[in-house]
């Protein structure tokens, strides 16, 4: 009798738990930004929401470095997803990339990580808002024309908009394309390929260098 007495509650718990698990999986089957956070046994040198920079080696990235007078040509946001580190980046297409793979894509695997000087701003609810906001860009095409729209998006624009629109933090002032160094022949070549003779000199833009020089960020890792 005792066995029967305790067996029913146990079976009921198992069924209830199983149903709850099934419902949670069913509701969010393809959402990479959700999941239970796993506690790390070792204190990580990264934090959710860090901004990471690297030097890429494509011709376009070379032009970006020259036009902005910076070693940085690519950036993204570090996210903790289910206890694993990813970089949310605007490439083709916009996606989450495992952090270790992202680092390997840069020149000599060197990178810089920056973090808000006021670290306390990024509380768990704000970080979740950032991840929720990020979902609308996941899978979108890379913007090779650097237009200030949400139809397509480039790397520093992605980071800037997530911080501004989800966390209420403006990492840097926006600039116009004409404010950059556009006279170098390598930059002129890329501009000619992209725009012909109709270069949108007054287009609002933000470069990786603008974010790297942000007054509200501090360097926490520098492997250069």
């Amino acid at each position: 009798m005792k066995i029967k007495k305790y067996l029913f509650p146990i079976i009921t718990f198992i069924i209830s738990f199983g149903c709850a698990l099934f419902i949670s999986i069913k509701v969010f089957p393809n959402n990479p930004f959700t999941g239970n956070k796993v506690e790390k046994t070792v204190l990580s040198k990264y934090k959710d929401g860090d901004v990471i920079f690297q030097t890429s080696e494509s011709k376009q990235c070379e032009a970006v470095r020259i036009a902005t007078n910076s070693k940085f040509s690519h950036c993204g946001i570090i996210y903790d997803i289910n206890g694993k580190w990813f970089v949310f980046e605007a490439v083709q297409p916009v996606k989450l990339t495992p952090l270790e793979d992202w680092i390997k894509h840069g020149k000599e695997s060197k990178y810089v990580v920056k973090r808000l000087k006021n670290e306390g701003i990024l509380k768990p609810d704000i970080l979740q808002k950032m991840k929720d906001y990020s979902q609308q860009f996941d899978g979108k095409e890379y913007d090779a024309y650097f237009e200030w729209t949400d139809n397509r998006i480039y790397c520093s624009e992605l980071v800037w908009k997530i911080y501004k629109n989800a966390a209420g933090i403006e990492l840097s002032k926006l600039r116009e394309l004409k404010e950059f160094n556009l006279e170098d022949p390598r930059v002129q070549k890329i501009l000619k390929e992209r725009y012909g003779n109709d270069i949108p000199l007054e287009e609002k833009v933000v470069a990786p260098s603008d974010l790297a020089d942000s007054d509200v960020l501090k360097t926490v890792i520098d492997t250069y």
Side-chain angles (χ1 to χ4, degrees):
M1 291 298 292
K2 287 185 178 180
I3 294 176
K4 290 183 178 180
K5 179 180 178 181
Y6 293 108
L7 187 58
F8 180 78
I10 292 172
I11 293 173
T12 302
F13 171 79
I14 291 172
I15 292 173
S16 300
F17 178 79
C19 289
L21 180 61
F22 173 79
I23 290 170
S24 65
I25 293 173
K26 194 71 175 178
V27 173
F28 303 108
N30 300 310
N31 186 349
F33 294 92
T34 60
N36 296 322
K37 187 172 181 178
V38 178
E39 292 297 326
K40 296 179 176 64
T41 55
V42 179
L43 185 63
S44 176
K45 59 184 177 181
Y46 308 109
K47 281 192 174 182
D48 226 357
D50 283 350
V51 184
I52 187 168
F53 302 83
Q54 68 180 191
T55 306
S56 299
E57 300 187 273
S58 69
K59 290 183 179 179
Q60 174 168 301
C61 288
E62 179 187 34
V64 169
R65 293 197 305 273
I66 295 168
T68 60
N69 298 311
S70 173
K71 62 187 174 187
F72 301 121
S73 55
H74 189 47
C75 60
I77 294 182
I78 296 176
Y79 280 150
D80 177 0
I81 309 291
N82 292 323
K84 295 182 180 179
W85 294 115
F86 290 85
V87 177
F88 190 50
E89 60 171 338
V91 285
Q92 181 54 32
V94 178
K95 63 177 181 176
L96 284 166
T97 301
L99 177 58
E100 291 183 0
D101 294 343
W102 192 91
I103 290 172
K104 292 175 183 177
H105 295 160
K107 184 177 181 180
E108 298 178 354
S109 295
K110 295 185 182 299
Y111 64 97
V112 167
V113 175
K114 289 183 175 273
R115 184 174 298 157
L116 285 177
K117 291 178 180 177
N118 186 353
E119 298 181 28
I121 292 178
L122 293 188
K123 292 179 169 49
D125 61 322
I126 298 298
L127 284 164
Q128 191 56 54
K129 284 182 181 178
M130 291 170 67
K131 292 175 183 178
D132 291 342
Y133 180 80
S134 296
Q135 292 177 41
Q136 67 182 293
F137 299 111
D138 190 35
K140 283 199 172 185
E141 293 189 8
Y142 176 78
D143 185 4
Y145 294 91
F146 305 112
E147 296 175 332
W148 197 253
T149 71
D150 290 346
N151 298 327
R152 302 176 183 224
I153 199 155
Y154 57 91
C155 67
S156 43
E157 177 190 15
L158 179 72
V159 174
W160 193 95
K161 285 183 174 178
I162 291 172
Y163 263 88
K164 174 64 174 179
N165 298 327
I169 300 169
E170 191 171 287
L171 293 180
S172 67
K173 296 296 182 183
L174 297 179
R175 296 205 274 168
E176 293 183 347
L177 185 59
K178 63 186 178 184
E179 296 179 48
F180 295 95
N181 174 22
L182 307 181
E183 301 305 317
D184 188 282
R186 289 163 291 185
V187 177
Q188 286 285 323
K189 183 175 185 297
I190 294 295
L191 291 174
K192 184 73 173 178
E193 291 173 356
R194 293 287 187 272
Y195 308 108
N197 295 321
D198 190 21
I199 301 173
L201 295 175
E202 296 183 356
E203 184 75 34
K204 289 190 296 184
V205 292
V206 60
S209 58
D210 295 325
L211 304 184
D213 294 337
S214 172
D215 291 335
V216 301
L217 296 177
K218 62 183 178 181
T219 301
V220 292
I221 303 173
D222 187 344
T223 68
Y224 278 85

